[in-house]
Amino acid sequence: MELTALLEKNLDEIVEKSCRQICEVKLKGYTKAGSTITKQKLANLYKKLIECVKNKELIPMLAYTEKIAKDRFNSGYDLYEVQTAINSLEELIWQKIFKHTKPEKLAESLSLVSSILGAGKDNLARTYVSLASKTKASAVNIQNLLHGSESIADVNE
């Protein structure tokens, strides 16, 4: 079966299973969002993957994962939660590919899916880190450190 057709045929099943997996591990952002919204988010990502596979291009996935990173970061999701959700989809897609793809097409199918999702995860992480580095960290109150028997001046002498 052609990869695009395989992905389209299994969209609902894979999204449903992935949503269950995510709910089972109780990722706080997705738990807070609820299963209906989580399922929609997974379906949107999955559809973006299909688009990229169909056209054999990365740009739509890179743009989409940048949008996801900004949205999830601003909504308080941890990076690992979003990466876990993508990994869940990817693992389930691999299982379908192994089960329904001819051996001579396995390498191409797996590399296409892995390259697109891998580039997306990398872009997502870079965007997340960029957003996090722009956020001011709370200052450390060092006054409590200075109440010991020695002052900083005594230590430096």
PDB file of all heavy atoms in Angstrom, residues 45-64:
ATOM      1  N   LEU A  45      -1.774  17.426  13.688  1.00  0.00           N
ATOM      2  CA  LEU A  45      -0.377  17.094  13.424  1.00  0.00           C
ATOM      3  C   LEU A  45      -0.282  15.948  12.417  1.00  0.00           C
ATOM      4  O   LEU A  45       0.520  15.986  11.475  1.00  0.00           O
ATOM      5  CB  LEU A  45       0.340  16.716  14.724  1.00  0.00           C
ATOM      6  CG  LEU A  45       1.792  16.286  14.571  1.00  0.00           C
ATOM      7  CD1 LEU A  45       2.650  17.431  14.051  1.00  0.00           C
ATOM      8  CD2 LEU A  45       2.333  15.775  15.900  1.00  0.00           C
ATOM      9  N   TYR A  46      -1.099  14.956  12.594  1.00  0.00           N
ATOM     10  CA  TYR A  46      -1.116  13.791  11.701  1.00  0.00           C
ATOM     11  C   TYR A  46      -1.455  14.224  10.271  1.00  0.00           C
ATOM     12  O   TYR A  46      -0.830  13.790   9.308  1.00  0.00           O
ATOM     13  CB  TYR A  46      -2.140  12.791  12.225  1.00  0.00           C
ATOM     14  CG  TYR A  46      -2.065  11.416  11.611  1.00  0.00           C
ATOM     15  CD1 TYR A  46      -1.463  10.371  12.284  1.00  0.00           C
ATOM     16  CD2 TYR A  46      -2.616  11.151  10.363  1.00  0.00           C
ATOM     17  CE1 TYR A  46      -1.414   9.098  11.739  1.00  0.00           C
ATOM     18  CE2 TYR A  46      -2.565   9.889   9.806  1.00  0.00           C
ATOM     19  CZ  TYR A  46      -1.965   8.869  10.495  1.00  0.00           C
ATOM     20  OH  TYR A  46      -1.906   7.608   9.950  1.00  0.00           O
ATOM     21  N   LYS A  47      -2.442  15.102  10.126  1.00  0.00           N
ATOM     22  CA  LYS A  47      -2.825  15.591   8.801  1.00  0.00           C
ATOM     23  C   LYS A  47      -1.698  16.398   8.164  1.00  0.00           C
ATOM     24  O   LYS A  47      -1.485  16.342   6.946  1.00  0.00           O
ATOM     25  CB  LYS A  47      -4.106  16.429   8.885  1.00  0.00           C
ATOM     26  CG  LYS A  47      -5.330  15.590   9.178  1.00  0.00           C
ATOM     27  CD  LYS A  47      -6.554  16.454   9.445  1.00  0.00           C
ATOM     28  CE  LYS A  47      -7.735  15.609   9.871  1.00  0.00           C
ATOM     29  NZ  LYS A  47      -8.900  16.426  10.272  1.00  0.00           N
ATOM     30  N   LYS A  48      -0.964  17.137   8.982  1.00  0.00           N
ATOM     31  CA  LYS A  48       0.185  17.893   8.468  1.00  0.00           C
ATOM     32  C   LYS A  48       1.256  16.919   7.983  1.00  0.00           C
ATOM     33  O   LYS A  48       1.884  17.149   6.947  1.00  0.00           O
ATOM     34  CB  LYS A  48       0.733  18.821   9.556  1.00  0.00           C
ATOM     35  CG  LYS A  48       1.747  19.808   9.068  1.00  0.00           C
ATOM     36  CD  LYS A  48       1.239  20.707   7.961  1.00  0.00           C
ATOM     37  CE  LYS A  48       0.155  21.631   8.417  1.00  0.00           C
ATOM     38  NZ  LYS A  48      -0.306  22.561   7.361  1.00  0.00           N
ATOM     39  N   LEU A  49       1.439  15.808   8.706  1.00  0.00           N
ATOM     40  CA  LEU A  49       2.376  14.784   8.266  1.00  0.00           C
ATOM     41  C   LEU A  49       1.953  14.220   6.908  1.00  0.00           C
ATOM     42  O   LEU A  49       2.774  14.078   6.003  1.00  0.00           O
ATOM     43  CB  LEU A  49       2.473  13.654   9.297  1.00  0.00           C
ATOM     44  CG  LEU A  49       3.273  12.427   8.861  1.00  0.00           C
ATOM     45  CD1 LEU A  49       4.740  12.768   8.661  1.00  0.00           C
ATOM     46  CD2 LEU A  49       3.101  11.298   9.858  1.00  0.00           C
ATOM     47  N   ILE A  50       0.675  13.912   6.758  1.00  0.00           N
ATOM     48  CA  ILE A  50       0.175  13.382   5.488  1.00  0.00           C
ATOM     49  C   ILE A  50       0.455  14.367   4.356  1.00  0.00           C
ATOM     50  O   ILE A  50       0.909  13.978   3.279  1.00  0.00           O
ATOM     51  CB  ILE A  50      -1.331  13.046   5.581  1.00  0.00           C
ATOM     52  CG1 ILE A  50      -1.554  11.865   6.522  1.00  0.00           C
ATOM     53  CG2 ILE A  50      -1.905  12.749   4.194  1.00  0.00           C
ATOM     54  CD1 ILE A  50      -3.022  11.587   6.858  1.00  0.00           C
ATOM     55  N   GLU A  51       0.187  15.635   4.591  1.00  0.00           N
ATOM     56  CA  GLU A  51       0.450  16.667   3.583  1.00  0.00           C
ATOM     57  C   GLU A  51       1.924  16.668   3.172  1.00  0.00           C
ATOM     58  O   GLU A  51       2.256  16.729   1.984  1.00  0.00           O
ATOM     59  CB  GLU A  51       0.056  18.037   4.137  1.00  0.00           C
ATOM     60  CG  GLU A  51       0.388  19.208   3.242  1.00  0.00           C
ATOM     61  CD  GLU A  51       0.182  20.550   3.925  1.00  0.00           C
ATOM     62  OE1 GLU A  51      -0.645  20.651   4.859  1.00  0.00           O
ATOM     63  OE2 GLU A  51       0.858  21.518   3.512  1.00  0.00           O
ATOM     64  N   CYS A  52       2.798  16.585   4.156  1.00  0.00           N
ATOM     65  CA  CYS A  52       4.238  16.606   3.879  1.00  0.00           C
ATOM     66  C   CYS A  52       4.698  15.343   3.149  1.00  0.00           C
ATOM     67  O   CYS A  52       5.543  15.416   2.256  1.00  0.00           O
ATOM     68  CB  CYS A  52       5.020  16.795   5.175  1.00  0.00           C
ATOM     69  SG  CYS A  52       4.805  18.427   5.901  1.00  0.00           S
ATOM     70  N   VAL A  53       4.150  14.203   3.529  1.00  0.00           N
ATOM     71  CA  VAL A  53       4.485  12.949   2.848  1.00  0.00           C
ATOM     72  C   VAL A  53       4.011  13.015   1.398  1.00  0.00           C
ATOM     73  O   VAL A  53       4.748  12.669   0.470  1.00  0.00           O
ATOM     74  CB  VAL A  53       3.867  11.730   3.581  1.00  0.00           C
ATOM     75  CG1 VAL A  53       3.906  10.480   2.717  1.00  0.00           C
ATOM     76  CG2 VAL A  53       4.583  11.496   4.910  1.00  0.00           C
ATOM     77  N   LYS A  54       2.798  13.465   1.215  1.00  0.00           N
ATOM     78  CA  LYS A  54       2.201  13.551  -0.119  1.00  0.00           C
ATOM     79  C   LYS A  54       3.035  14.433  -1.047  1.00  0.00           C
ATOM     80  O   LYS A  54       3.286  14.076  -2.197  1.00  0.00           O
ATOM     81  CB  LYS A  54       0.783  14.108  -0.009  1.00  0.00           C
ATOM     82  CG  LYS A  54      -0.069  13.934  -1.249  1.00  0.00           C
ATOM     83  CD  LYS A  54      -1.473  14.493  -1.029  1.00  0.00           C
ATOM     84  CE  LYS A  54      -2.252  13.599  -0.089  1.00  0.00           C
ATOM     85  NZ  LYS A  54      -3.677  13.957   0.044  1.00  0.00           N
ATOM     86  N   ASN A  55       3.495  15.555  -0.526  1.00  0.00           N
ATOM     87  CA  ASN A  55       4.247  16.521  -1.337  1.00  0.00           C
ATOM     88  C   ASN A  55       5.759  16.385  -1.197  1.00  0.00           C
ATOM     89  O   ASN A  55       6.506  17.132  -1.819  1.00  0.00           O
ATOM     90  CB  ASN A  55       3.820  17.941  -0.975  1.00  0.00           C
ATOM     91  CG  ASN A  55       2.352  18.169  -1.243  1.00  0.00           C
ATOM     92  OD1 ASN A  55       1.819  17.748  -2.267  1.00  0.00           O
ATOM     93  ND2 ASN A  55       1.684  18.815  -0.304  1.00  0.00           N
ATOM     94  N   LYS A  56       6.181  15.467  -0.329  1.00  0.00           N
ATOM     95  CA  LYS A  56       7.608  15.239  -0.042  1.00  0.00           C
ATOM     96  C   LYS A  56       8.332  16.549   0.256  1.00  0.00           C
ATOM     97  O   LYS A  56       9.326  16.896  -0.367  1.00  0.00           O
ATOM     98  CB  LYS A  56       8.268  14.479  -1.183  1.00  0.00           C
ATOM     99  CG  LYS A  56       7.794  13.053  -1.283  1.00  0.00           C
ATOM    100  CD  LYS A  56       8.635  12.255  -2.261  1.00  0.00           C
ATOM    101  CE  LYS A  56       8.376  10.799  -2.133  1.00  0.00           C
ATOM    102  NZ  LYS A  56       7.271  10.257  -2.798  1.00  0.00           N
ATOM    103  N   GLU A  57       7.800  17.267   1.258  1.00  0.00           N
ATOM    104  CA  GLU A  57       8.407  18.528   1.674  1.00  0.00           C
ATOM    105  C   GLU A  57       8.303  18.715   3.183  1.00  0.00           C
ATOM    106  O   GLU A  57       7.388  18.206   3.817  1.00  0.00           O
ATOM    107  CB  GLU A  57       7.793  19.711   0.933  1.00  0.00           C
ATOM    108  CG  GLU A  57       6.317  19.913   1.182  1.00  0.00           C
ATOM    109  CD  GLU A  57       5.739  21.092   0.420  1.00  0.00           C
ATOM    110  OE1 GLU A  57       6.481  21.779  -0.289  1.00  0.00           O
ATOM    111  OE2 GLU A  57       4.534  21.318   0.554  1.00  0.00           O
ATOM    112  N   LEU A  58       9.264  19.453   3.726  1.00  0.00           N
ATOM    113  CA  LEU A  58       9.343  19.676   5.171  1.00  0.00           C
ATOM    114  C   LEU A  58       8.760  21.016   5.622  1.00  0.00           C
ATOM    115  O   LEU A  58       8.339  21.142   6.771  1.00  0.00           O
ATOM    116  CB  LEU A  58      10.808  19.651   5.627  1.00  0.00           C
ATOM    117  CG  LEU A  58      11.513  18.316   5.653  1.00  0.00           C
ATOM    118  CD1 LEU A  58      12.989  18.522   5.961  1.00  0.00           C
ATOM    119  CD2 LEU A  58      10.877  17.409   6.677  1.00  0.00           C
ATOM    120  N   ILE A  59       8.760  22.001   4.755  1.00  0.00           N
ATOM    121  CA  ILE A  59       8.398  23.360   5.158  1.00  0.00           C
ATOM    122  C   ILE A  59       7.057  23.432   5.900  1.00  0.00           C
ATOM    123  O   ILE A  59       6.976  24.081   6.947  1.00  0.00           O
ATOM    124  CB  ILE A  59       8.417  24.329   3.951  1.00  0.00           C
ATOM    125  CG1 ILE A  59       9.812  24.355   3.303  1.00  0.00           C
ATOM    126  CG2 ILE A  59       7.968  25.732   4.346  1.00  0.00           C
ATOM    127  CD1 ILE A  59      10.938  24.800   4.221  1.00  0.00           C
ATOM    128  N   PRO A  60       5.994  22.773   5.420  1.00  0.00           N
ATOM    129  CA  PRO A  60       4.737  22.858   6.179  1.00  0.00           C
ATOM    130  C   PRO A  60       4.857  22.305   7.604  1.00  0.00           C
ATOM    131  O   PRO A  60       4.266  22.857   8.536  1.00  0.00           O
ATOM    132  CB  PRO A  60       3.753  22.030   5.345  1.00  0.00           C
ATOM    133  CG  PRO A  60       4.307  22.065   3.964  1.00  0.00           C
ATOM    134  CD  PRO A  60       5.796  22.069   4.149  1.00  0.00           C
ATOM    135  N   MET A  61       5.645  21.241   7.787  1.00  0.00           N
ATOM    136  CA  MET A  61       5.818  20.691   9.130  1.00  0.00           C
ATOM    137  C   MET A  61       6.630  21.635   9.999  1.00  0.00           C
ATOM    138  O   MET A  61       6.321  21.825  11.180  1.00  0.00           O
ATOM    139  CB  MET A  61       6.492  19.313   9.083  1.00  0.00           C
ATOM    140  CG  MET A  61       6.660  18.660  10.449  1.00  0.00           C
ATOM    141  SD  MET A  61       5.099  18.382  11.344  1.00  0.00           S
ATOM    142  CE  MET A  61       4.435  16.984  10.460  1.00  0.00           C
ATOM    143  N   LEU A  62       7.644  22.251   9.422  1.00  0.00           N
ATOM    144  CA  LEU A  62       8.451  23.194  10.201  1.00  0.00           C
ATOM    145  C   LEU A  62       7.617  24.396  10.638  1.00  0.00           C
ATOM    146  O   LEU A  62       7.697  24.830  11.790  1.00  0.00           O
ATOM    147  CB  LEU A  62       9.671  23.642   9.391  1.00  0.00           C
ATOM    148  CG  LEU A  62      10.655  22.537   9.020  1.00  0.00           C
ATOM    149  CD1 LEU A  62      11.787  23.103   8.163  1.00  0.00           C
ATOM    150  CD2 LEU A  62      11.188  21.824  10.245  1.00  0.00           C
ATOM    151  N   ALA A  63       6.809  24.911   9.745  1.00  0.00           N
ATOM    152  CA  ALA A  63       5.934  26.037  10.096  1.00  0.00           C
ATOM    153  C   ALA A  63       4.925  25.617  11.154  1.00  0.00           C
ATOM    154  O   ALA A  63       4.649  26.369  12.111  1.00  0.00           O
ATOM    155  CB  ALA A  63       5.230  26.554   8.846  1.00  0.00           C
ATOM    156  N   TYR A  64       4.395  24.416  11.006  1.00  0.00           N
ATOM    157  CA  TYR A  64       3.388  23.942  11.945  1.00  0.00           C
ATOM    158  C   TYR A  64       3.981  23.693  13.331  1.00  0.00           C
ATOM    159  O   TYR A  64       3.381  24.053  14.349  1.00  0.00           O
ATOM    160  CB  TYR A  64       2.714  22.672  11.412  1.00  0.00           C
ATOM    161  CG  TYR A  64       1.510  22.272  12.220  1.00  0.00           C
ATOM    162  CD1 TYR A  64       0.393  23.082  12.275  1.00  0.00           C
ATOM    163  CD2 TYR A  64       1.505  21.095  12.947  1.00  0.00           C
ATOM    164  CE1 TYR A  64      -0.721  22.730  13.039  1.00  0.00           C
ATOM    165  CE2 TYR A  64       0.409  20.735  13.712  1.00  0.00           C
ATOM    166  CZ  TYR A  64      -0.704  21.552  13.750  1.00  0.00           C
ATOM    167  OH  TYR A  64      -1.791  21.215  14.505  1.00  0.00           O
TER     168      TYR A  64
END
